[in-house]
Amino acid sequence: MHFTSEQRLEDGVLEREFTLGEIPGTLWTPEPPGSAAPLPLVLMAHNNGLPKADPRLVARARYTAARGYAVAGIDAAGCGDRPRTAAAEQARADLRRAMRAGEPVDEIFESLIGPMVENAVPEWLSTLDALLELPGIGGPVGYSGGWTALGIRLAVVEPRIVAAGFFAGGYVPRAQREEARQVTIPLLFLLQWDDEGNPRQRALDLFDAFGSEEKTLHANLGGHTGTPWFELEDGGRFLDRHLKPARPV
C-alpha cells in the first residue's frame, strides 16, 4: 500500500489517498487518534460506478472517522475512473433502454451487478489485509455501504467482519439473495420506503432472509437519496456497540 497524498480536514480527520496495485483508495482516520489503542476499521463500499470521492460517501466516511474509526473506501473495478468492461457498458446501455421503454430489467441487472461483485470481492479482501497491517489499525472490522450485494458476499467469506450496515437501495443478484441466509453477524438494514428503484417487498424479503439473530430494520419515508441524517448517527451507535470494546461500568 502506497500513500499518495495527505490532508488534515477541519473536522479533525486525516484523509489519505492510497494505491494498492491498480486499486485507488482513501483512508480516513481521527487526527490525532483519541487513544493509543488500535482503531477499529470500517469498510465503506459503493457501487453503480460512483467514485469514492462522491460527496455523500465522503460525508459518511468523515463522520464515522470522527467517531473514532479508521474508514476506508476504494474504487473497485468499474467504479470511479477505473476502466469499465465492454460487457458492463453494454449492460448499462441496455438498462437505460429498458427503463425508458418500461421493460423488465432484472436480467440486465443480473448481467451487470453479478460480475461486479465477483470482481470486487478479491480487491476488497486484499485492501483489508493491507489496512490491518498499518500501524494504529487493529480491528475489529465492520462494513457500511450502499453496495449491499458486495457486503453480503464479504460477510459470508470474511470472518474478520463482525457487523454490517446495509442500505436497501440497490439491486441484489439472486446469488447474494441466497447467500443472505448464511449471514449471521449483527445487521442494521436501512430502507427508503418510497425508493423508486428498489421494490419494497424485495427489500423486506431480503431482510427476512438474513440469518442473523440480531438484525434491525429502519424504514423511512422518501426516495432513494432521502435517508435522514439521523440514520448516520444511529449507524454510528450501531458500530460502537459491536466494534468498540465495552467500557467498565
Side-chain angles (χ1 to χ4, degrees), residues 140-153:
V141 181
Y143 178 91
S144 176
W147 197 352
T148 296
L150 173 66
I152 291 171
R153 172 62 61 82

Side-chain angles (χ1 to χ4, degrees), residues 5-242:
S5 69
E6 179 177 299
Q7 183 180 7
R8 286 171 172 80
L9 306 173
E10 65 273 9
D11 51 4
V13 170
L14 177 65
E15 179 183 84
R16 287 178 284 174
E17 301 290 331
F18 66 82
T19 57
L20 181 65
E22 297 181 353
I23 307 169
T26 308
L27 176 65
W28 295 267
T29 54
E31 178 62 22
S35 70
L39 294 169
L41 173 63
V42 176
L43 307 179
M44 199 162 282
H46 58 280
N47 188 16
N48 199 28
L50 284 175
K52 56 185 175 58
D54 178 81
R56 289 187 299 134
L57 303 175
V58 171
R60 286 183 13 232
R62 289 174 58 171
Y63 174 86
T64 305
R67 289 185 70 100
Y69 294 92
V71 183
I74 66 171
D75 277 342
C79 293
D81 295 328
R82 296 191 65 185
R84 304 186 183 190
T85 66
E89 289 302 282
Q90 183 61 55
R92 287 189 173 93
D94 292 343
L95 180 62
R96 290 191 292 268
R97 178 195 55 76
M99 292 180 71
R100 285 195 300 267
E103 298 173 355
V105 294
D106 277 13
E107 292 306 318
I108 302 175
F109 270 123
E110 286 284 335
S111 67
L112 175 63
I113 305 301
M116 289 183 71
V117 172
E118 297 297 332
N119 292 332
V121 167
E123 294 193 341
W124 270 104
L125 294 178
S126 296
T127 302
L128 175 58
D129 289 339
L131 290 167
L132 289 178
E133 292 178 358
L134 295 175
I137 300 178
V141 181
Y143 178 91
S144 176
W147 197 352
T148 296
L150 173 66
I152 291 171
R153 172 62 61 82
L154 288 176
V156 170
V157 303
E158 179 47 74
R160 289 174 292 186
I161 297 176
V162 301
F166 293 148
F167 290 76
Y171 181 82
V172 176
R174 286 186 289 267
Q176 278 69 63
R177 294 202 294 269
E178 288 298 319
E179 286 177 328
R181 305 180 192 284
Q182 303 175 47
V183 175
T184 58
I185 60 176
L187 294 179
L188 176 62
F189 196 58
L190 302 184
L191 170 63
Q192 285 302 104
W193 202 246
D194 308 299
D195 190 337
E196 60 280 1
N198 186 48
R200 183 186 306 162
Q201 191 58 53
R202 179 179 291 173
L204 294 173
D205 290 343
L206 179 62
F207 176 76
D208 190 51
F210 285 121
S212 303
E213 291 187 2
E214 181 183 336
K215 56 182 179 180
T216 302
L217 172 68
H218 286 187
N220 291 283
L221 297 178
H224 184 72
T225 60
T227 303
W229 181 257
F230 61 73
E231 289 292 2
L232 186 57
E233 299 170 344
D234 285 348
R237 288 190 286 270
F238 168 81
L239 293 173
D240 290 348
R241 287 197 300 274
H242 299 290

